[in-house]
Amino acid sequence: MKKKELEIRLQKLDSHPDPSPELEQYMTPGDVAAGLLYLARSHGSIEGRGVYDLGCGTGRLAIGAALLGAGTVTGVDVDREALRVAEKNAERAGVEVEWRHADVEGLELEGADTVVQNPPFGVQRRGADMKFLGKGMELAGEVYSIHKATPKNRSFISRHVEELGGKVTHRIEKDFHIPAQFRFHTRDVYRFKVDLYRIERR
Ligand SMILES: C[S@@+](CC[C@H](N)C(=O)[O-])C[C@H]1O[C@@H](n2cnc3c(N)ncnc32)[C@H](O)[C@@H]1O
């Protein structure tokens, strides 16, 4: 499947009917999701591989991995409503994904080949993003993860990944937008930069 087609298919998936600001429940824009999945694909980390999507929400990354030929895909989220939408989205996309209701903290799963994730940025709950990174690196040798692009975040993530025994091999900056969806949003759309990371466990 061409990247553009993947982007369009992911963009069309249903969103959460009542997103929670505390859980930072915004969807990854189709182009960003496709960008992360193609980065993973270019390293041979999707096709035929065991893939986890941590904080899968309504399933864009998990479904995208399945559409690109992953061997098995498991999406994990703490919110049942998000998983209900994800399940319907997967059915409509014609792919199989196992959906798990669990908190990433304390999550116990067998190891996989690859983790793809767009964790909360840690704006509402400080450190939430780092918990996802740590869990991702515990579960798989390769982690593809989306984080807010700020100089402080960049150096913090590199250091944290090193401390956890890994290495950032790629960091790609992308535009990200969230349409107004929370009561405190006063603009139609919020635009900012994110980084797509590829992390290898040593
Ligand atoms: C930024 S959204 C990304 C959603 C989806 N991955 C996507 O790309 O569209 C973050 C997701 O992490 C989930 N989440 C937040 N804290 C969590 C936790 N402790 N354990 C599991 N999921 C969590 C939220 O419910 C939300 O669906």
Side-chain angles (χ1 to χ4, degrees), residues 23-28 55-57 77-78 102-104 118 120 132:
L23 291 172
E24 299 191 39
Q25 285 180 324
Y26 43 82
M27 286 173 88
T28 308
C56 62
D77 206 282
V78 75
D103 193 317
V104 156
N118 178 16
F132 273 72

Side-chain angles (χ1 to χ4, degrees), residues 11-193:
Q11 190 64 38
K12 283 186 181 161
L13 296 175
D14 280 347
S15 55
H16 198 298
D18 184 20
S20 146
E22 287 74 31
L23 291 172
E24 299 191 39
Q25 285 180 324
Y26 43 82
M27 286 173 88
T28 308
D31 61 327
V32 179
L36 188 78
L37 291 165
Y38 260 71
L39 176 64
R41 182 191 172 170
S42 71
H43 286 87
S45 309
I46 298 287
E47 221 176 311
R49 302 288 177 170
V51 179
Y52 288 152
D53 175 1
L54 303 184
C56 62
T58 50
R60 280 195 176 175
L61 294 173
I63 292 167
L67 286 170
L68 291 180
T72 59
V73 185
T74 304
V76 179
D77 206 282
V78 75
D79 179 46
R80 284 191 195 279
E81 183 62 12
L83 292 171
R84 195 188 56 76
V85 178
E87 205 172 338
K88 285 211 170 131
N89 277 336
E91 259 172 49
R92 269 185 25 227
V95 294
E96 261 194 42
V97 175
E98 187 194 340
W99 304 106
R100 283 235 188 172
H101 178 242
D103 193 317
V104 156
E105 215 177 321
L107 176 67
E108 287 188 19
L109 281 178
E110 300 250 309
D113 299 303
T114 309
V115 164
V116 293
Q117 58 181 12
N118 178 16
F121 288 135
V123 174
Q124 300 295 330
R125 290 187 197 170
R126 270 178 81 85
D129 47 348
M130 296 304 140
K131 286 193 179 127
F132 273 72
L133 260 187
K135 184 52 75 176
M137 288 176 66
E138 184 189 311
L139 292 174
E142 284 178 53
V143 178
Y144 296 83
S145 194
I146 302 172
H147 297 271
K148 222 166 177 182
T150 64
K152 201 170 148 203
N153 222 19
R154 285 177 172 170
S155 59
F156 190 72
I157 287 171
S158 296
R159 227 177 324 122
H160 191 60
V161 165
E162 294 270 336
E163 279 165 13
L164 293 172
K167 188 176 177 224
V168 172
T169 65
H170 295 65
R171 192 182 65 211
I172 299 160
E173 191 179 285
K174 280 257 184 198
D175 290 318
F176 197 100
H177 67 273
I178 308 177
Q181 60 176 29
F182 298 133
R183 56 191 179 280
F184 54 81
H185 280 166
T186 53
R187 279 186 262 140
D188 287 349
V189 62
Y190 285 78
R191 295 181 196 282
F192 47 93
K193 304 272 185 203

